[in-house]
Amino acid sequence: MRAVYRQWMQQDVKRSAAESYSPLSLIFLFFFFSFIGWCWEVGYHLVIDHRFINRGMLFGPWLPIYGVGGVMILLVLRHFFERPGKLFFMIMLVCGTIEYLTGWALETIWHTRWWDYREYTFQIQGRVSLIGLLIFGTGGLTIVYWIAPRFNQWLGKQEGRNEEIIAFLLLALFLIDVCYSILHPNQGAGITAPAGAVLAMRP
């Protein structure tokens, strides 16, 4: 069983290292990762706070920090794709840097925290936590060796210009959301306030 698993991993590693991603594929992957990240955080608060909370600074069903992180992994860390162990730690480093700088920028511009890890044991100024980095590392390996290659191959089999039109519409909606949110960022209990604020809002 171990030999079968090792052979399966080696095949995925080689396939991922040889995979090439087009700009169109990266656009779709960006939105896919952003949507999955949004579902993850909304689902977490749905379980913890028992109510729907539209997480993130934007209003659409996407958290671009996840999309940027996923695409950066595919573009910047290709040199490590054949070494999963080192790749895991490099993913933690890249995603941790993105998360820290994004948190710093949001706090500097809007003087508001959209996440806060200061109650965690291992964290840096409340912007990055060890548990979060471990989750990013695991998720990043899943992206590199399973999600991204399969999606890229599926997209390559599609014909016509429908994919380009869909990508254009997604980008247009996203840019509209970004422009609006710069002036009117998504805030409130459970978004830029502690979970206790959400509990206090319940009837």
Side-chain angles (χ1 to χ4, degrees), residues 112-132:
T112 305
R113 284 179 179 262
W114 269 265
W115 62 88
D116 192 347
Y117 301 126
R118 283 179 291 187
E119 64 181 25
Y120 288 64
T121 302
F122 300 102
Q123 50 85 24
I124 302 176
Q125 297 179 343
R127 297 172 185 143
V128 179
S129 70
L130 178 60
I131 183 64

Side-chain angles (χ1 to χ4, degrees), residues 10-200:
Q10 289 175 348
Q11 291 175 350
D12 274 356
V13 167
K14 290 180 180 179
R15 183 190 305 117
S16 300
E19 199 72 30
S20 178
Y21 297 94
S22 67
L24 182 63
S25 182
L26 291 173
I27 290 173
F28 277 114
L29 286 170
F30 166 81
F31 283 106
F32 178 75
F33 300 147
S34 298
F35 177 69
I36 292 299
W38 180 83
C39 290
W40 164 264
E41 294 206 9
V42 168
Y44 173 82
H45 284 273
L46 191 63
V47 172
I48 299 299
D49 302 317
H50 307 292
R51 67 184 298 158
F52 173 83
I53 300 173
N54 185 23
R55 295 285 297 164
M57 173 190 163
L58 306 181
F59 290 86
W62 38 49
L63 290 175
I65 189 172
Y66 288 89
V68 171
V71 170
M72 287 291 288
I73 290 171
L74 296 175
L75 292 178
V76 177
L77 301 181
R78 293 191 60 86
H79 180 70
F80 299 95
F81 280 11
E82 295 190 47
R83 292 172 286 177
K86 290 186 178 180
L87 178 62
F88 179 81
F89 290 102
M90 291 304 299
I91 291 171
M92 291 175 61
L93 177 62
V94 169
C95 291
T97 301
I98 292 173
E99 186 176 34
Y100 183 90
L101 293 177
T102 302
W104 173 83
L106 293 174
E107 294 168 32
T108 302
I109 297 173
W110 285 279
H111 308 288
T112 305
R113 284 179 179 262
W114 269 265
W115 62 88
D116 192 347
Y117 301 126
R118 283 179 291 187
E119 64 181 25
Y120 288 64
T121 302
F122 300 102
Q123 50 85 24
I124 302 176
Q125 297 179 343
R127 297 172 185 143
V128 179
S129 70
L130 178 60
I131 183 64
L133 294 180
L134 292 173
I135 293 174
F136 287 145
T138 304
L141 292 181
T142 304
I143 287 172
V144 170
Y145 298 124
W146 194 76
I147 296 177
R150 284 163 174 78
F151 176 84
N152 197 43
Q153 292 165 13
W154 173 83
L155 185 65
K157 296 177 182 178
Q158 307 308 305
E159 298 179 357
R161 296 181 56 84
N162 290 338
E163 294 76 23
E164 296 179 5
I165 295 174
I166 293 172
F168 175 80
L169 291 175
L170 284 172
L171 286 171
L173 290 172
F174 179 74
L175 290 176
I176 291 172
D177 194 355
V178 169
C179 292
Y180 179 81
S181 299
I182 288 175
L183 300 176
H184 309 283
N186 183 30
Q187 300 183 8
I191 304 171
T192 55
V198 177
L199 296 175

